């Protein structure tokens, strides 16, 4: 289910990137960046490259500036996917870092956030992380809203079970969640009037574009920023 595109354009990880800091949340090292005293939290669930990706942290800072307490946990316990490691190809790596474990860890992070007095939580998932966010969104117990960016592993059956407002941002060039599949997602969601939904396919971009864009490429940055604007509008609308 995961192919070369899932791992294309790997970021140069930087543990000191971003305006926030790293602390333990729910037992996981997490990048935390926040608006002081905010009771509204956003959980960002990374792709396979983890929480030290500079573009991901930059987005976290942008969401925090809009008034949210933003947490980006290290769901991979210090071992993000490393494409240069021939002994740990993606299929082997995924056996140790599956989305089921990610879902269980995410629930612990949410429990910790609730313990801090947070009143509402939204979640955004990228590639691998989108599957974790979908699992969270199958009940209204954990999050108020979900955003999926170029999802991996998400199925029609998953979408049928969604209970919270959901936004799906997809790429025109995506072998993991091609436009045809996203259109099916849209049809399933349209038949669920009790769940507000938004599905958008971005032209001329590939899987991973929202966080793995080249900062020197103006068109790539523009498409990523458009997606960031869409996801922030969704969070502002439903996490309150």
């Amino acid at each position: 289910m995961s192919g070369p595109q899932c791992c294309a354009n790997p970021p140069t990880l930087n543990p000191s990137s971003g305006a926030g800091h790293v602390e333990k949340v729910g037992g996981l090292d997490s990048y935390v960046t926040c608006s002081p005293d905010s009771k509204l939290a956003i959980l960002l669930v990374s792709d396979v490259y983890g929480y030290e990706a500079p573009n991901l942290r930059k987005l976290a800072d942008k969401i925090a500036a809009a008034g949210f307490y933003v947490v980006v946990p290290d769901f991979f316990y210090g071992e993000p996917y490393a494409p240069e490691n021939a002994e740990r190809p993606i299929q082997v790596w995924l056996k140790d870092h599956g989305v089921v474990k990610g879902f269980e860890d995410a629930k612990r992070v949410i429990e910790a956030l609730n313990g801090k007095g947070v009143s509402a939580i939204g979640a955004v998932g990228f590639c691998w992380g989108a599957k974790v966010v979908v699992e969270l969104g199958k009940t209204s117990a954990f999050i108020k809203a979900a955003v999926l960016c170029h999802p991996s592993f998400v199925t029609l059956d998953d979408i049928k079970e969604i209970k919270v407002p959901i936004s799906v941002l997809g790429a025109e060039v995506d072998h993991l969640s091609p436009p045809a599949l996203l259109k099916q997602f849209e049809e399933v969601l349209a038949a669920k009037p009790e769940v507000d939904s938004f599905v958008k396919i971005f032209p001329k971009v590939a899987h991973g574009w929202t966080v793995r864009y080249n900062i020197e490429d103006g068109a790539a940055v523009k498409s990523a920023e458009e997606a960031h604007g869409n996801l922030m509008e969704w969070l502002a609308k439903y996490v309150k």
Side-chain angles (χ1 to χ4, degrees):
M1 286 185 72
S2 56
Q5 203 180 28
C6 177
C7 310
N9 305 319
T12 300
L13 302 182
N14 180 356
S16 61
S17 61
H21 63 277
V22 173
E23 65 177 82
K24 292 277 187 189
V25 181
L28 276 71
D29 285 339
S30 303
Y31 176 74
V32 175
T33 177
C34 56
S35 178
D37 306 319
S38 178
K39 298 298 183 188
L40 305 175
I42 305 299
L43 172 66
L44 298 189
V45 189
S46 74
D47 61 18
V48 297
Y49 292 109
Y51 83 137
E52 293 181 351
N55 286 352
L56 179 62
R57 289 190 174 186
K58 191 187 298 182
L59 175 57
D61 292 341
K62 193 188 296 187
I63 296 170
F68 294 102
Y69 184 100
V70 185
V71 180
V72 193
D74 175 16
F75 288 102
F76 308 133
Y77 295 87
E79 198 216 4
Y81 174 63
E84 68 279 4
N85 184 351
E87 293 178 11
R88 300 275 289 162
I90 188 67
Q91 300 297 356
V92 172
W93 181 88
L94 282 169
K95 287 177 183 174
D96 292 330
H97 302 291
V99 289
V100 174
K101 178 73 165 65
F103 173 51
E104 293 303 321
D105 283 340
K107 287 192 288 186
R108 286 167 46 212
V109 171
I110 287 169
E111 187 179 336
L113 289 173
N114 287 328
K116 290 176 184 284
V118 162
S119 58
I121 300 172
V124 185
F126 305 85
C127 313
W128 178 94
K131 177 71 170 182
V132 174
V133 170
V134 157
E135 294 299 324
L136 292 171
K138 290 180 181 180
T139 166
S140 56
F142 302 122
I143 57 175
K144 298 289 187 190
V147 181
L148 313 184
C149 296
H150 33 84
S152 298
F153 312 121
V154 176
T155 66
L156 266 180
D157 285 340
D158 287 326
I159 297 297
K160 288 174 184 173
E161 290 185 56
I162 285 292
K163 299 288 193 297
V164 301
I166 183 169
S167 171
V168 184
L169 307 178
E172 181 181 30
V173 185
D174 195 331
H175 308 313
L176 295 143
S177 293
L181 178 61
L182 298 185
K183 292 288 187 189
Q184 289 180 294
F185 286 2
E186 191 170 30
E187 289 166 13
V188 165
L189 290 165
K192 291 165 68 81
E194 73 282 7
V195 175
D196 197 9
S197 61
F198 176 74
V199 178
K200 181 174 177 178
I201 297 166
F202 286 70
K204 301 177 184 174
V205 296
H207 182 87
W209 96 97
T210 65
V211 284
R212 288 192 234 147
Y213 56 90
N214 177 355
I215 58 172
E216 306 293 330
D217 182 337
V221 171
K222 187 178 178 184
S223 288
E225 288 181 344
E226 183 182 341
H228 300 163
N230 289 153
L231 72 84
M232 288 174 68
E233 285 167 18
W234 195 256
L235 296 172
K237 185 176 181 181
Y238 290 107
V239 184
K240 58 189 179 182

